[in-house]
Amino acid sequence: MLVKFNQKYIISMVSKNQIKLISSLQQKKFRQSHKLFIAEGVKVIQELLDAAFELDHIYATVHLFEGVPVAKFSLISVDDLKKISALTVPNNCLAVFKIPESKPFLEQNLLLALDSIRDPGNLGTIIRICDWFGIQQIICSPDTVDIYNPKVIQATMGSIARVNCIYEDLLPIIENTTLPVFGTFMDGENIYKMNLPKEGIIVMGNEANGISKAIEDEIKNRISIPRFGALQKTESLNVATATSIIVSEFSRNF
């Protein structure tokens, strides 16, 4: 616990139990069992505080975040921060937050469906892209990387606070939706020549294998980003990059 001495904060030790708990949150099973996740860096932590995520505790090497109760803030050494950080080069602060209850899926507006996205950096960037373009919902397949993975949280740069991500089996949703469903394929229709709607579900596939066959069979609107390079040898785009281009085109109708 952080204590005060003559109105100044003094450094407190991080206990072995605290180190063990915080370090364990780098693994999904422990995040789920403790219902906790970690966030690092002033911007990300402040975004989560502003969005009313429930704070468990903040550990920092400098006094930050006015208004945080003394009981939930610990001033710690750089060495202790290194012991609990998930980063190779730790920032100056780490916070533990409680995982909020999932919000229900709403079948409205434009939303994204992610079919087995495995890379944390890709997922975090996609969440940030959705925040930028005003897409408020992402449906993730159960085997998509956990949104509370520390690398995902870091890559969102705080956008996790404004985008609702839910984990559901995509196939029943796509089979029963009243919204048009669009899938990204190499042989799809040129997106720049399409008349795109304001509402719909955009399906983005796995980094290596694309959209799974069962879901592909249910998609009637196949779209693609054409290659303009003279040699036409680039095999594919990174999924986060492709998401940015596609969402940008759909957003022209907002």
Side-chain angles (χ1 to χ4, degrees), residues 19-40 83-87 94 96-97 99 120 144-153:
I19 293 172
K20 182 178 179 180
L21 170 63
I22 297 167
S23 299
S24 76
L25 299 179
Q26 296 184 36
Q27 298 182 53
K28 182 178 179 180
K29 64 179 180 179
F30 292 114
R31 290 194 295 272
Q32 291 179 331
S33 62
H34 294 294
K35 299 188 182 303
L36 297 170
F37 72 97
I38 61 174
E40 300 192 57
K83 293 176 183 177
I84 60 176
S85 175
L87 302 175
L94 177 149
V96 179
F97 286 94
I99 294 177
T144 289
V145 62
D146 180 25
I147 60 168
Y148 295 111
N149 178 303
K151 292 180 180 179
V152 175
I153 296 294

Side-chain angles (χ1 to χ4, degrees), residues 35 53 98-105 137-138 146-148 163-168:
K35 299 188 182 303
F53 274 66
K98 295 184 179 180
I99 294 177
E101 293 294 325
S102 297
K103 297 177 182 177
F105 161 62
Q137 292 188 97
I138 298 176
D146 180 25
I147 60 168
Y148 295 111
V163 179
N164 180 33
C165 300
I166 63 170
Y167 285 78
E168 296 282 354

Side-chain angles (χ1 to χ4, degrees), residues 41 59 76 95 100 102 113-115 188 198 200 206 217 221 224 243 246:
Y59 303 86
I76 65 173
S102 297
L114 303 181
D115 184 14
K198 293 182 178 180
N206 173 266
D217 290 343
N221 301 293
S224 70
T243 299
I246 289 167

Side-chain angles (χ1 to χ4, degrees), residues 109-157:
N109 303 322
L110 188 65
L111 48 99
L112 206 64
L114 303 181
D115 184 14
S116 190
I117 300 300
R118 300 299 180 88
D119 182 83
N122 281 337
L123 178 56
T125 302
I126 288 170
I127 292 171
R128 194 174 176 188
I129 289 166
C130 286
D131 185 24
W132 180 269
F133 286 102
I135 295 177
Q136 298 177 338
Q137 292 188 97
I138 298 176
I139 315 164
C140 302
S141 64
D143 57 350
T144 289
V145 62
D146 180 25
I147 60 168
Y148 295 111
N149 178 303
K151 292 180 180 179
V152 175
I153 296 294
Q154 198 70 22
T156 71
M157 292 298 291

